[in-house]
Amino acid sequence: MRLFLDTANIDEIRAAARMGILAGVTTNPTLMAKESGVSYRDRVVEICEVVRGPVSAECTSRDLAGLLEEAREIAKWHPDVVVKIPIDETGLEATSVLSKEGISINMTLIFSANQALLAATAGATYVSPFIGRIDDTGQDGMDVVRESVEIFDRYHLPAQVLAASIRHPRHIIEAARAGAPIATVPFSVLQAMIKHPLTDAGIERFVADAQKYQKESARERAARP
Ligand code: E4P
């Protein structure tokens, strides 16, 4: 499974890239609104220069002409840019047109396997079920991931399930077990994946013990004639 970071924050992206675990990035207008003093375009290009992998940037136009124009413009920002389009009738139509032009689409705001099937059939490269937001409604978001993976596999649809709206590390394990080839995770969840209290306690003990024997061997060396 490949891990993407779900953020528009360049420091978080640089940190994840340094750890050697970053395969891509997803952004959206909400994440971008947390950043100040930089345009969406400039930030996406900056991200593309750090990450060697797909970087999703989202369209907000609501009519077909506007959506096509915006998507074509975003696609020109960098060769690694993937254009994110929310699913609805216009979004599917735009995806059908743009995918035939060779533009890579991440169809977003997916809340059912039916929507995932439609997105894949229209030509989306990535299909993003929003696990956490589905869980919030009282349903199991992972069911949508499982069903989408099963349908794509069975009918050899080339679209990839990109597990999104990840809220905690368990979501990533479950998405991986469900066969999602990609999960996009907030930086805080990535940090939670790394941490384990027994690892912290283990490091503390090893450091303390190392200091003990280093002191002892220094004493022994000093006592030698
Ligand atoms: C990913 O592409 C989405 O932008 C993101 O995962 C949404 O997550 P949220 O439900 O935490 O806003």
Side-chain angles (χ1 to χ4, degrees):
M1 175 191 245
R2 289 188 291 157
L3 290 178
F4 288 11
L5 214 54
D6 198 24
T7 184
N9 184 283
I10 197 69
D11 296 329
E12 293 179 349
I13 291 163
R14 287 205 175 104
R18 282 196 300 271
M19 287 184 245
I21 51 88
L22 191 61
V25 168
T26 52
T27 67
N28 65 35
T30 306
L31 294 170
M32 198 53 214
K34 294 179 188 163
E35 305 298 307
S36 53
V38 63
S39 72
Y40 198 7
R41 182 189 184 284
D42 288 354
R43 177 49 51 89
V44 167
V45 171
E46 203 178 357
I47 295 170
C48 288
E49 279 159 12
V50 175
V51 187
R52 291 278 161 261
V55 175
S56 291
E58 189 154 346
C59 290
T60 50
S61 302
R62 300 304 306 133
D63 63 291
L64 184 64
L67 197 47
L68 291 174
E69 190 187 343
E70 188 182 5
R72 288 175 182 136
E73 178 54 35
I74 289 175
K76 281 190 226 148
W77 290 353
H78 192 279
D80 291 337
V81 164
V82 172
V83 179
K84 223 171 168 191
I85 296 180
I87 186 162
D88 61 4
E89 285 184 36
T90 314
L92 285 168
E93 192 174 343
T95 297
S96 170
V97 172
L98 295 163
S99 61
K100 289 181 185 82
E101 293 173 11
I103 294 175
S104 186
I105 307 295
N106 173 0
M107 186 129 260
T108 190
L109 288 164
I110 298 290
F111 292 91
S112 73
N114 273 318
Q115 290 180 320
L117 173 60
L118 292 169
T121 307
T125 304
Y126 305 97
V127 176
S128 295
F130 274 35
I131 300 169
R133 293 195 202 184
I134 299 172
D135 288 354
D136 290 344
T137 68
Q139 289 182 304
D140 186 357
M142 212 52 71
D143 282 345
V144 178
V145 173
R146 245 177 251 114
E147 289 171 350
S148 305
V149 168
E150 186 187 340
I151 292 165
F152 292 6
D153 283 354
R154 183 168 309 174
Y155 295 100
H156 308 291
L157 297 169
Q160 298 180 58
V161 174
L162 196 167
S165 188
I166 297 271
R167 299 277 168 79
H168 50 73
R170 194 71 213 161
H171 269 156
I172 299 155
I173 292 177
E174 286 173 15
R177 293 185 68 194
I182 308 165
T184 187
V185 303
F187 191 69
S188 58
V189 176
L190 172 65
Q191 287 176 312
M193 287 170 80
I194 298 167
K195 280 276 183 191
H196 195 289
L198 291 177
T199 306
D200 295 343
I203 291 172
E204 211 174 295
R205 171 91 185 268
F206 285 150
V207 169
D209 288 346
Q211 283 168 352
K212 245 190 260 171
Y213 72 68
Q214 279 158 4
K215 263 188 213 155
E216 270 166 32
S217 52
R219 254 199 310 270
E220 276 167 23
R221 274 199 305 275
R224 270 183 216 147

